[in-house]
Amino acid sequence: MSNLRQTDRRFRSSVLFPGMLGVILAIVGTGSITLAADDVAAEVAPEPPFDPGRFDGGTNRSWSLIIGAGGSFEPEYEGSKDFKVSPLPVFLFTYGEWLEVDPTGVTITAFEHDGFKLAGRVGYESGRDKDDGDRLRGLGEIDFAATVGGKASYSWMGLELYGTIDQTIDGSESLIGTIGAEYKAPVTERLMLGAGVEAVIANDKHMAAYFGVNADQAAKSGLPEYHAKAGLKRVEMTASATYLLTENWLVKGEAGVGFLTGDAADSPIVEEKVQPSVSLFVGYKF
């Protein structure tokens, strides 16, 4: 301030004073406009983009892992009118963009370009126990077996369209194809909602194993003989919600309803064509 006062006294009577005063006012005015513009820009600056990786375990690392446990409430067998509660272990591991391991098996992505993926899958078919329902007595059991197959999918803006095909090795020797769509959307920074629809097509061997009744089975069970043929066996719709309790803990719930169709729906084994289910689990993200 002393330097400014000395300068002011030095040029007070000078004809340069009006010019300098104008320059100073121009500088101050320009600075004020700049500060005001910065304030406006700060006010309208967009929020950081939403990170869906917060919900599925994705991080800046090349791998992610979610482990947890829960339970499911579902029909005792496909077509049953009675329900059972089952434990639901959760293990979701991904490595890079090519490997995914979950409770249904292992998926390896062989090709990816602009949202389109081709992947190979190894999983299992749980089979069926003859004690799962009264109508299954005398029908024998369907053994647990491994499955191999593939998946083609296309993802865009939260929407995934996909098709899969899986062959059961031994067991029921089923060949099953699915066509479906799933959409996921963030509602808040902590809540993600999803919805999906899927159609399941099965070959003769699968339909005969799970919905058919041969002559020997008819004699033992008292059910009429029934020959179930290949075709569309089920259409299913699901809705899900994932909520982040903290940065690491999450809870996910899912509800679905399946509708048996065609020869599957008409089978004497089927007690109820509409097959609802719900599941809930709590997981920890590493």
Side-chain angles (χ1 to χ4, degrees), residues 60 67 76 87 131 182 243 258 270:
N60 292 328
I67 60 173
E76 291 189 337
D131 296 325
E182 184 177 23
Y243 187 77
V270 171

Side-chain angles (χ1 to χ4, degrees), residues 114-132:
D114 289 341
F116 180 75
K117 291 184 180 180
L118 290 175
R121 312 196 315 162
V122 178
Y124 65 90
E125 182 181 85
S126 58
R128 189 178 68 193
D129 194 311
K130 63 182 179 181
D131 296 325
D132 285 344

Side-chain angles (χ1 to χ4, degrees), residues 207-219:
M207 298 295 285
Y210 284 93
F211 300 100
V213 181
N214 60 33
D216 183 58
Q217 292 172 329

